[in-house]
Amino acid sequence: MAAFAALSVWSSPEVRERLGWYYAVANNFKPAKYLICRRVTAGEELENLGEGELWELHARASEEFAKIFREVKDGGLELGRMEPVKPSLLDLKVALVKKMLRHCNFCRWNCRVDRVAGGKHGTCQLEEESRVSSYFHHRGEELPIRGTKGSGTIFFTSCNMRCAFCQNADISHDKDNGVVFTPQRLAWTMWQLRMEGCHNINLVGGEPTIHLHTIVEAIGLLKFFKTVDSAALEAKADLYLPYKMDVRNASYMGEFNTPILWNSNMYMSQETMTILKELVDIWLPDFKFGNDNCAIWLSRTPWYFETVSKNHKLIYDWGEDIVIRHLIMPGHVQCCTKPVLRWIAENMPDALVNIMDQYHPDCYCSPSDPRFDRRYQSMARYPSQEEIMESYRYAAELGLKFEEITFERSVYGLRI
Ligand code: SF4
């Protein structure tokens, strides 16, 4: 942990200030939000309540959470002085996502299918079961995220968007790959990664939103485990590396502690945002398209800009720790990169932004892929250096905070 805290990126006042909560939890100086949720009472037994009544309780419990969170954040309250309660805000969130799964409204598609009963499928094609394609210490994320020992990244299968250039299509287009992960198995996996030194639990896919029920229940089960889940290990991509487990990596006042990182396309419903607000310690959202026509053409996703921008704004207004990712796509600087960056400058002016130059033709956009579709011929190239530089210059003109996060991971090494 000392090596993580000593990374040069933390000497940047902007990064340190904007990711202050995440930094404190990653170093076990502060408890993750889910540990606070366990201390916020939900008020009454939850079993016999309807969904409307559960949401009312949630609104009240969220207000209580906000008070305690502020005190913990400011250093006026040590969480160890408060005992966990039952039922807690965390129990309430588990109860709510189970109800939501019966008429799935996890994301903006709002398919309303009963994923427990099965039979009818929504856009993501999923029923109740969650699968994990792989999990490992990710060394390719932004420096504050990957740190020195990697980001504990868990790749869930399937997606609610259909990007023609998807660079994880083997995971996102094949819902049945990988290993079945129950909430218990997922909790164990999170514990394993954190005990091995990962700085955070990075929930990604595909898309984590469509697995909301499994993830929230797993967070509710987080603790120090004593047994091994050998079936989970089948999905561990770096099993061959000799990571040592150490309780000091994962302990806040004797309790299991880890930052929860939401790595998402942000195409989720307002209900999902409300559930996640008190669980996510750092957001890593993707803001791809600057208009709905490009989102429909390239991702078959309607209502994109309105949905994704609204969710970004919510995070900002809540005062959360966030790094926004934007991928420069070939031929899309005017229609996507510039409008997205402009929107960020107008609505989230001091957020950290990673303007990524790593686009490569893949999936339906790659002529060397059997799935190549000629309609995407214009996407079958890398972004040019002029396009990358134009994007950087525009971000600089807008006054965005992007250099620190962007340049150390850039593929081409371009700078302004
Ligand atoms: S997660 Fe989204 S796409 Fe999947 S069924 Fe639910 S609302 Fe539909």
Side-chain angles (χ1 to χ4, degrees):
M1 286 297 155
F4 174 76
L7 284 171
S8 61
V9 71
W10 298 118
S11 59
S12 156
E14 286 168 349
V15 176
R16 191 70 180 72
E17 186 197 324
R18 288 176 181 98
L19 302 183
W21 174 253
Y22 161 68
Y23 176 85
V25 180
N27 283 298
N28 295 314
F29 302 150
K30 297 281 183 190
K33 283 184 182 174
Y34 71 83
L35 288 175
I36 302 176
C37 280
R38 285 187 182 156
R39 271 114 174 138
V40 175
T41 182
E44 50 192 287
E45 287 305 320
L46 308 176
E47 280 84 58
N48 299 322
L49 299 182
E51 195 172 338
E53 292 164 306
L54 292 176
W55 279 119
E56 281 173 26
L57 287 180
H58 192 279
R60 284 207 289 276
S62 294
E63 284 177 22
E64 183 62 20
F65 175 96
K67 277 188 224 147
I68 299 173
F69 181 52
R70 251 193 319 274
E71 287 184 48
V72 170
K73 210 173 176 181
D74 297 344
L77 177 68
E78 274 197 4
L79 200 67
R81 294 181 181 207
M82 294 179 75
E83 287 296 317
V85 293
K86 279 282 176 190
S88 68
L89 175 56
L90 195 42
D91 299 319
L92 183 49
K93 287 177 185 290
V94 172
L96 272 166
V97 293
K98 285 183 177 173
K99 298 266 189 207
M100 289 166 72
L101 190 67
R102 287 285 188 167
H103 55 82
C104 190
N105 59 339
F106 286 171
C107 80
R108 178 64 178 83
W109 285 107
N110 195 22
C111 301
R112 314 301 296 186
V113 292
D114 183 342
R115 288 176 51 182
V116 179
K120 278 190 176 172
H121 295 153
T123 303
C124 66
Q125 298 293 307
L126 295 181
E127 295 186 354
E128 187 175 11
E129 183 179 274
S130 287
R131 298 181 79 94
V132 165
S133 180
S134 65
Y135 70 96
F136 55 94
H137 294 229
H138 200 316
R139 306 281 186 167
E141 305 287 55
E142 292 82 351
L143 185 53
I145 310 295
R146 72 176 187 277
T148 54
K149 294 188 174 175
S151 172
T153 307
I154 302 174
F155 284 88
F156 293 90
T157 66
S158 195
C159 193
N160 53 355
M161 291 178 69
R162 291 285 177 270
C163 301
F165 51 86
C166 182
Q167 300 179 357
N168 278 336
D170 50 335
I171 298 168
S172 61
H173 291 195
D174 175 12
K175 71 180 175 60
D176 295 323
N177 77 89
V179 175
V180 174
F181 263 50
T182 60
Q184 185 75 24
R185 178 163 296 153
L186 181 57
W188 184 87
T189 301
M190 293 175 175
W191 167 79
Q192 182 196 22
L193 288 165
R194 180 69 169 160
M195 288 285 283
E196 289 178 348
C198 288
H199 307 292
N200 47 72
I201 296 302
N202 182 340
L203 301 159
V204 68
E207 169 60 33
T209 300
I210 57 183
H211 299 275
L212 185 72
H213 57 302
T214 307
I215 292 169
V216 173
E217 195 171 345
I219 292 172
L221 296 170
L222 284 175
K223 61 174 187 174
F224 288 108
F225 287 88
K226 293 197 173 76
T227 52
V228 173
D229 187 331
S230 45
L233 295 176
E234 289 173 32
K236 195 164 196 297
D238 55 4
L239 194 56
Y240 60 93
L241 291 170
Y243 291 114
K244 283 207 181 96
M245 288 197 172
D246 188 332
V247 73
R248 288 171 299 182
N249 294 331
S251 179
Y252 172 81
M253 300 184 88
E255 289 189 68
F256 177 75
N257 191 42
T258 181
I260 301 294
L261 183 154
W262 198 255
N263 186 344
S264 165
N265 60 31
M266 299 307 287
Y267 195 67
M268 63 261 258
S269 64
Q270 296 305 285
E271 290 85 351
T272 294
M273 289 294 293
T274 304
I275 293 287
L276 291 175
K277 182 182 177 190
E278 293 96 3
L279 295 177
V280 172
D281 296 290
I282 175 167
W283 302 78
L284 194 57
D286 198 12
F287 202 152
K288 274 191 186 62
F289 303 112
N291 67 87
D292 286 350
N293 288 342
C294 291
I296 287 169
W297 179 55
L298 283 168
S299 290
R300 288 191 275 151
T301 304
W303 320 297
Y304 177 86
F305 197 86
E306 171 203 326
T307 307
V308 171
S309 61
K310 190 171 176 183
N311 287 337
H312 275 77
K313 187 75 168 89
L314 267 182
I315 295 171
Y316 187 74
D317 290 347
W318 289 339
E320 303 277 289
D321 289 18
I322 181 171
V323 177
I324 305 171
R325 286 175 165 175
H326 172 74
L327 181 67
I328 304 167
M329 297 175 287
H332 285 261
V333 171
Q334 304 306 327
C335 55
C336 291
T337 296
K338 287 189 174 180
V340 166
L341 297 181
R342 194 161 55 240
W343 186 90
I344 294 170
E346 286 167 2
N347 294 280
M348 310 172 69
D350 53 0
L352 298 172
V353 187
N354 182 5
I355 305 172
M356 302 189 297
D357 64 349
Q358 68 196 51
Y359 177 92
H360 59 267
D362 210 326
C363 200
Y364 299 108
C365 298
S366 170
S368 60
D369 191 304
R371 293 166 292 189
F372 178 59
D373 184 332
R374 291 197 170 281
R375 284 177 301 165
Y376 299 120
Q377 182 68 51
S378 64
M379 300 297 287
R381 68 169 176 87
Y382 293 79
S384 67
Q385 298 208 354
E386 289 72 30
E387 286 174 318
I388 295 167
M389 287 303 290
E390 188 177 354
S391 303
Y392 291 167
R393 277 195 293 268
Y394 192 67
E397 277 168 28
L398 292 168
L400 291 179
K401 316 293 177 207
F402 72 102
E403 294 97 332
E404 192 83 46
I405 297 290
T406 298
F407 292 155
E408 67 92 19
R409 285 308 294 166
S410 74
V411 175
Y412 300 99
L414 300 174
R415 301 277 187 280
I416 51 167

